[in-house]
Amino acid sequence: MLDTPITFLKGVGERRAEAFRRLGVMNARDLLYHVPHRYEDASTVRRIATLRIGEDATIIGTVVSKGVLPTRKGLRIFQAVVQDESGLIEASWPGQPFLDRSINKGDVLLLSGAVRFYHGRQLMPREFVNLGAEDSGTAEGRVLAVYPATEGLSFKMIRGIIDKHLDALIPALEEHLPADVLRETELPSLQEAMRLVHRPPSVAEALRGRARLAYDELLAVHLLQRRANAIARQARQGIAFTNKRELTSRLKAALPWELTGAQVRATREIVADMTSAQRMHRLLQGDVGSGKTIVALFACCLALENGYQAAVMAPTELLAEQHFRTFSRLLAPLGVEPVLVVGSMTAKARRAAAARLAEAGPVLVVGTHALVQEGTQFANLGLAVIDEQHRFGVEQRATLGAKGGAPDILLMSATPIPRSLALTLYGDLDVSVLDERPPGRQPVTTALRPESGRARVLEFVEQQLAAGRQAYIVYPIIEESDKIALKAATTAFEQLTAGPFAHRRVALLHGRLSGDEKDAIMRAFRDGDIDLLVSTTVIEVGIDVSNATVMIIEHPERFGLSQLHQLRGRVGRGAAESFCILLGDVGPDSLERLRHITETEDGFEIARADLRLRGMGDLFGKQQSGLPAFKIADPVRDEALSELARTAAERLLRDDATLSAPPHRALQRMLTSRYGRALELFRVG
């Protein structure tokens, strides 16, 4: 029954089936799992006449008039006057004029939000549901399930179709959680959960049902990740390095600073991996300036002292050159000379580097994607380190990992995410976290300033430049457009060079420049030949310029929190006090969001807030390819559920690796039927 194509369900037909297919609903089972994305509680509906200023309330009313109101500052506000049998109230949506196309006179709206005073009582809807022109009595007193919809298939149509088939489909669901696991979760059975999400007696009960379905998704991901990792470990015999403590101990003694506790912990985890018989496949993640490069250098020294080659791949030539200079300086007392391999090298230099790599002796090579090109061959590669790993494609990472037999792999990322989320998304990797700031690293003072303060902000920049410092001004777009009212880097560059910074050395950097042009500008800025760099986000991952002490970010509301944090990381890299100023007028929602940046420099907390507010998006690139996508679960919001699921997955696989024992067969059937990848992972015999 659950495999019945959606077309053949009563009330669907071919036209609606096509719309359902756009939503990923192919059969009856998919229809059950097409759960509401939110609920509106109409069981607590208030009469409009009873509303008081300052309270939060839910109402149902009919639109009696509507329109778009422009303001002097250019903001367009959609307003609708709604009425019930007790009276009228104006509902206001600032910055959402497009609602004028979807809300019509005569529509019945369910509205939830704050009541305020603005030329009379006014409702500021936080959420709303357009009930169309139906009688408000059909909604009042109920919890309304609002489904993801599409053109030609409204949420009300979906609700009606699901309600029509629910009683027949739910009994066909098989409980796949083992009894002991279900008991531990304290969550409802699968059949009960499905009834709660589609016909909730209350919002709280709907969320109980959703939690069970989210748990199932998280458990599936943890089971698949850990089973795949276990199989890969069995198959990936690696190099069993010996911790000789030759170069590594000498490097530690030569460092002009003490390692942080997090760096010591991560180094020990990496050494344990490299000295085991299995091939290392580890992710090292840490905040901006947390010292990942030094940890990677210890791993490289371990490979070198065992007679192997080590390679460090960076996404840009500038970053590769920066690593090369850092390694050269730190390894000089040890008598080790790294080799640089980048695309812009002369043919003679490339031949000399190729000759070094062709020799069987130990060598540390630092480079860009040139390391994975056919012309670069390794005689004895033992360790591959990939910096800013999300900036490389899966294929490039795999190509470097395939060179030289079976080298250990260390991926590094400066986009920190909470450890629990990392264990969910990167379950096929071991994860090390650097969550401490090295001593001497200066905090960056961060502030939000309104447009009215622009002159004072630019004066402050001039003061810093006069003191011999350097500065960045970052814009969200390259050129101005009629379609979007944002300041652009090219226009600002012209205005700044003709105005307040006409006497300064100012350069413009953006993504449309050629690679050579961008490199030349960044080198000039690094070498102190440029005072002020006007840029787009191409500097997000750049080089260390210790003399840069100020960053101005225009239109900060256009950036994600993690991106703002990465940009801020370009300053504060020296001993001088540094500043990041978010410049521009922002709305109340953006103001609340940007508060996270001004109040903390903890990249993990910022990433958590960013993920909670904006979702995961493409933050993780192709890392999740082959994994089931999350349709119901949210690894950030459901962090506690994910931890519960991870613990259960580890225990289940420890006791029954193929889930073939009788208590686990229903779980195995669910995995192999719903997730194609599981067919190979849990094949029996």
Side-chain angles (χ1 to χ4, degrees):
M1 177 179 287
L2 294 177
D3 294 325
T4 302
I6 191 68
T7 310
F8 301 131
L9 292 182
K10 187 175 180 179
V12 179
E14 189 53 49
R15 181 176 297 180
R16 286 181 175 176
E18 179 57 36
F20 268 121
R21 283 190 279 270
R22 290 199 299 271
L23 294 169
V25 177
M26 306 296 180
N27 54 37
R29 177 182 284 104
D30 294 336
L31 184 66
L32 278 181
Y33 278 91
H34 187 70
V35 302
H37 63 120
R38 78 175 196 266
Y39 297 92
E40 289 296 339
D41 190 356
S43 64
T44 59
V45 168
R46 298 272 300 281
R47 296 291 176 263
I48 290 176
T50 68
L51 301 184
R52 297 290 178 266
I53 305 299
E55 63 184 4
D56 211 69
T58 298
I59 64 170
I60 292 179
T62 303
V63 178
V64 295
S65 67
K66 62 155 190 168
V68 175
L69 177 70
T71 68
R72 282 181 296 179
K73 289 189 175 182
L75 182 68
R76 301 176 70 203
I77 303 172
F78 174 69
Q79 293 181 333
V81 176
V82 296
Q83 179 182 42
D84 66 9
E85 66 275 16
S86 71
L88 301 165
I89 193 169
E90 186 179 77
S92 182
W93 288 266
Q96 301 182 60
F98 53 85
L99 291 177
D100 193 37
R101 298 192 297 270
S102 57
I103 295 177
N104 299 306
K105 188 176 179 179
D107 282 352
V108 177
L109 304 183
L110 185 148
L111 304 160
S112 295
V115 183
R116 70 170 191 175
F117 183 85
Y118 185 75
H119 302 302
R121 283 187 314 162
Q122 192 176 75
L123 186 71
M124 302 294 291
R126 182 182 57 258
E127 297 281 358
F128 80 96
V129 178
N130 190 336
L131 302 172
E134 67 183 36
D135 181 5
S136 63
T138 63
E140 192 168 340
R142 298 167 48 198
V143 173
L144 293 179
V146 184
Y147 291 86
T150 186
E151 185 177 353
L153 196 62
S154 69
F155 82 89
K156 287 181 290 183
M157 292 178 186
I158 296 172
R159 190 173 68 205
I161 291 169
I162 289 177
D163 195 61
K164 184 181 298 182
H165 295 281
L166 198 62
D167 292 331
L169 294 178
I170 282 181
L173 287 170
E174 178 185 31
E175 178 56 71
H176 50 259
L177 284 187
D180 59 331
V181 174
L182 180 58
R183 193 163 48 248
E184 278 182 0
T185 65
E186 298 182 349
L187 292 170
S189 68
L190 182 58
Q191 292 188 6
E192 182 188 357
M194 201 62 76
R195 197 174 299 279
L196 290 175
V197 296
H198 291 298
R199 288 182 188 158
S202 68
V203 173
E205 286 297 284
L207 296 180
R208 275 189 71 234
R210 193 208 67 85
R212 165 59 204 270
L213 302 184
Y215 177 87
D216 286 354
E217 281 191 346
L218 293 162
L219 180 65
V221 167
H222 286 299
L223 286 169
L224 294 174
Q225 289 273 35
R226 274 146 188 77
R227 177 63 177 159
N229 201 8
I231 292 173
R233 281 181 176 276
Q234 294 169 8
R236 67 185 192 208
Q237 289 298 312
I239 303 165
F241 294 96
T242 301
N243 188 9
K244 298 182 178 182
R245 294 183 173 85
E246 295 172 358
L247 291 177
T248 52
S249 294
R250 290 171 60 196
L251 173 62
K252 184 177 180 181
L255 288 179
W257 63 81
E258 290 289 324
L259 296 176
T260 66
Q263 286 175 315
V264 171
R265 182 180 66 244
T267 302
R268 286 173 178 167
E269 290 169 349
I270 292 167
V271 169
D273 276 358
M274 293 180 68
T275 54
S276 74
Q278 276 78 41
R279 188 181 183 190
M280 178 174 73
H281 205 204
R282 181 171 287 274
L283 171 70
L284 175 63
Q285 64 157 355
D287 206 348
V288 176
S290 59
K292 295 180 295 297
T293 305
I294 299 303
V295 173
L297 184 56
F298 274 98
C300 292
C301 285
L302 179 58
L304 296 178
E305 69 184 19
N306 278 266
Y308 286 88
Q309 297 170 325
V312 178
M313 184 167 73
T316 66
E317 288 198 7
L318 283 169
L319 195 53
E321 290 173 2
Q322 179 174 292
H323 287 332
F324 175 73
R325 288 194 304 273
T326 300
F327 291 163
S328 297
R329 184 180 74 253
L330 294 175
L331 294 176
L334 282 63
V336 176
E337 295 182 6
V339 172
L340 181 67
V341 175
V342 293
S344 63
M345 292 171 60
T346 64
K348 180 179 180 181
R350 186 180 285 273
R351 285 194 299 270
R356 287 281 306 274
L357 297 180
E359 299 171 358
V363 64
L364 170 59
V365 59
V366 184
T368 59
H369 60 278
L371 293 176
V372 301
Q373 294 175 346
E374 291 184 7
T376 306
Q377 301 297 325
F378 294 86
N380 194 22
L381 183 62
L383 172 67
V385 179
I386 302 171
D387 193 14
E388 296 294 341
Q389 60 89 18
H390 61 286
R391 303 222 162 216
F392 292 99
V394 174
E395 296 79 9
Q396 288 176 310
R397 299 196 298 257
T399 300
L400 181 59
K403 286 182 176 285
D408 281 354
I409 305 294
L410 179 64
L411 306 174
M412 298 199 299
S413 175
T415 305
I417 58 175
R419 183 176 179 84
S420 58
L421 180 56
L423 290 171
T424 303
L425 297 172
Y426 299 113
D428 56 339
L429 299 173
D430 296 303
V431 179
S432 291
V433 175
L434 297 182
D435 52 7
E436 294 180 51
R437 181 188 295 271
R441 176 83 186 198
Q442 294 293 318
V444 178
T445 301
T446 305
L448 177 63
R449 294 290 180 262
E451 185 64 30
S452 60
R454 174 175 298 276
R456 290 192 299 275
V457 169
L458 295 182
E459 286 174 9
F460 176 73
V461 173
E462 171 57 30
Q463 291 169 9
Q464 290 288 303
L465 299 183
R469 306 299 181 191
Q470 292 164 276
Y472 302 89
I473 302 183
V474 180
Y475 293 83
I477 56 174
I478 299 174
E479 295 175 344
E480 289 188 353
S481 165
D482 294 334
K483 297 179 180 179
I484 187 166
L486 294 177
K487 295 181 178 66
T490 51
T491 306
F493 172 72
E494 294 170 0
Q495 294 171 344
L496 293 170
T497 52
F501 300 107
H503 59 298
R504 295 293 178 188
R505 298 169 297 177
V506 186
L508 174 64
L509 181 69
H510 56 72
R512 291 184 192 166
L513 299 176
S514 69
D516 289 343
E517 289 173 316
K518 285 187 283 190
D519 284 351
I521 291 170
M522 285 304 295
R523 285 192 180 92
F525 189 68
R526 178 196 66 196
D527 296 340
D529 297 329
I530 294 171
D531 301 316
L532 176 63
L533 187 59
V534 178
S535 176
T536 58
T537 58
V538 293
I539 56 141
E540 181 181 348
V541 175
I543 58 171
D544 293 346
V545 180
S546 59
N547 192 46
T549 58
V550 184
M551 170 165 289
I552 310 299
I553 302 177
E554 297 267 14
H555 295 293
E557 76 280 2
R558 304 291 297 187
F559 301 91
L561 296 181
S562 292
Q563 190 175 33
L564 289 171
H565 183 59
Q566 290 291 322
L567 288 168
R568 175 170 61 182
R570 295 302 98 214
V571 296
R573 307 187 81 87
E577 186 178 8
S578 296
F579 308 87
C580 177
I581 302 173
L582 312 179
L583 181 58
D585 294 330
V586 300
D589 291 343
S590 294
L591 187 63
E592 178 65 20
R593 185 174 66 87
L594 295 173
R595 181 178 54 79
H596 294 284
I597 282 288
T598 61
E599 291 182 355
T600 182
E601 284 195 85
D602 187 330
F604 290 92
E605 282 304 311
I606 289 169
R608 188 189 300 274
D610 203 16
L611 290 165
R612 189 167 57 244
L613 292 165
R614 302 205 314 158
M616 292 189 296
D618 60 355
L619 176 62
F620 307 102
K622 300 180 183 178
Q623 183 64 38
Q624 287 195 83
S625 63
L627 277 177
F630 292 114
K631 292 179 64 177
I632 301 170
D634 180 326
V636 178
R637 179 187 59 202
D638 299 323
E639 190 172 347
L641 270 182
S642 183
E643 187 63 24
L644 198 63
R646 183 178 68 84
T647 303
E650 290 174 347
R651 187 180 70 252
L652 284 165
L653 294 179
R654 184 175 62 246
D655 297 340
D656 181 12
T658 60
L659 300 178
S660 54
H664 305 148
R665 286 177 187 165
L667 182 56
Q668 187 200 60
R669 282 194 296 272
M670 183 276 289
L671 290 170
T672 54
S673 66
R674 294 190 63 189
Y675 306 112
R677 186 183 183 199
L679 288 171
E680 291 297 325
L681 297 179
F682 294 98
R683 187 182 296 278
V684 181

